[in-house]
Amino acid sequence: MASPLRRRAAVAAALAMAAVLAGGGLWLYTLLRANLLDNTTNRTELAARKVAAQLDGRALPPGGRLPAPESGVDLVLVRDAQGRTVASTGDLGDAPDLGGLRPPAPGDAGEDSRSAVLPPAHPGAERRAVVVVGAPGAHEVYAVTVLGDVDDATRAIALGLLAGAPPLIGFAAALAWWVTGHALRPVTAIRTGLAAVTASELDRRVPDPGGADEIARLARTVNATLDRLERSDARQRQFTADASHELRNPLAAVRSRLEVALAADRPDRESVAAALADTERLQRIAADLLLLARLDGGPAPRAEPVDLALLAAEDLARRPAPRVPLRLDAPAPVPAPGDPARLERALANLVDNALRHARTGVVVRAAAEPSAERGPCVVLEVEDDGPGIPEPDRDRVFERFVRLDADRGRTGGGTGLGLAIVREIARAHGGDAHALPPRADAGSGIRLVLCLPAPGAGPGRQPAALRSGNS
């Protein structure tokens, strides 16, 4: 798809070329036309002066016949004081209308001739250039030149300019299109490289085209900014990991003391129990933060064969008395490459989240989609019949510390990190996690889906259920 900048540059170049051609063409046309008229008028005047010089002290030629003029002048005639044609290079009785043109009066300083361009006598006729000079013996000499050659030449110039304008305008637009595209190619490479930078790939850099122009300086500035961002992110992750790690031992010590105090028969038993619950919550938050820090900056997960159906069955078996019934829908093994411990943690987080919100039951599904459009994928799906999640918030729930229920208490709600951990584990395995609406026969609720590439499939593929939004 063509960039708007290239289109604007091509249009601007075309308009600029059109303006230059219009202005330059009009100037050239006017200049050439004026030059041709001046040359024609000068030749016509010269023919009239030659005849006037021949009449100086001499009689008119016999029969009034003047020799044919030279230099393309069409007619020369002589008139007396009464305006009668007394000599001509053509027929005496066939003198054209000269438009009342008369020579200058004797008192006009610096002028002894006059010229004019007569319009056509009738539609389709030719224009004429006429020059009149005074001659001895009160005679007037008129020279006439038809402007057909001048009109033909100026018409040819105008047609040439009009015919040459579109190709030149098109060439200017094409040249601007090519030059702009060539100049923007490094910018496109920089944009593509910058778009590929993600939170898990902050070590990527944009290509440096080299040189000292503005685009090269932009690439270096972007890379320097990415360097600072990577260092800042590394410091932030290290701080989170260090803080979470350092909090584990003090929290464990506080919890053990509270458990000992709770075991004793004390009057403040309820306060100790509340403090113990808060401490356990802090332990869970610290553990989740430490896991997220390890997922953010740690190595890629192990890739060993994992049966997702068996993983789901084992998770449900570890929950002997859930708040609502749990049902497994996995009729066949679902193999997938991955880290069993991390995938187990992701599934546990999904089930925990569903148990907090389900009304009557939770369904855990494990399946493969070998015919998906983007390649074979495997999915772990946990569906509950709770209040569901509004569509605008279905992606936001996978962000860190996001809890949609404003009145959710500490005892009933999670830490806001469970689903964020699920998505990070999925993406570390080349997959993703999404929230989808319930199935058509389920009514209310939400489906939380973790999708992974099937064995032999490339990373980053999504199953058809995720693309369609329902099944």
Side-chain angles (χ1 to χ4, degrees), residues 117-182:
V117 176
L118 302 181
H122 54 82
E126 296 176 314
R127 299 180 308 124
R128 297 183 176 92
V130 180
V131 177
V132 57
V133 296
H139 289 105
E140 301 169 356
V141 180
Y142 294 82
V144 180
T145 301
V146 176
L147 297 178
D149 293 341
V150 174
D151 292 338
D152 291 342
T154 54
R155 187 181 300 110
I157 293 172
L159 292 177
L161 291 173
L162 291 176
L168 289 175
I169 293 174
F171 173 76
L175 182 62
W177 180 275
W178 181 84
V179 170
T180 306
H182 184 74

Side-chain angles (χ1 to χ4, degrees), residues 245-316:
H245 181 75
E246 294 299 327
L247 284 173
R248 296 176 68 182
N249 291 336
L251 287 174
V254 172
R255 178 176 178 176
S256 64
R257 291 188 178 94
L258 289 174
E259 288 176 344
V260 171
L262 188 61
D265 189 10
R266 299 168 54 95
D268 56 350
R269 184 180 181 86
E270 292 184 0
S271 299
V272 174
L276 179 60
D278 288 340
T279 303
E280 292 174 348
R281 179 181 175 83
L282 283 174
Q283 279 189 305
R284 291 195 298 271
I285 293 176
D288 289 346
L289 285 174
L290 182 59
L291 177 58
L292 281 173
R294 289 172 176 171
L295 290 172
D296 285 340
R302 293 180 299 160
E304 58 183 74
V306 180
D307 184 357
L308 298 185
L310 180 60
L311 197 73
E314 292 175 347
D315 182 86
L316 268 60

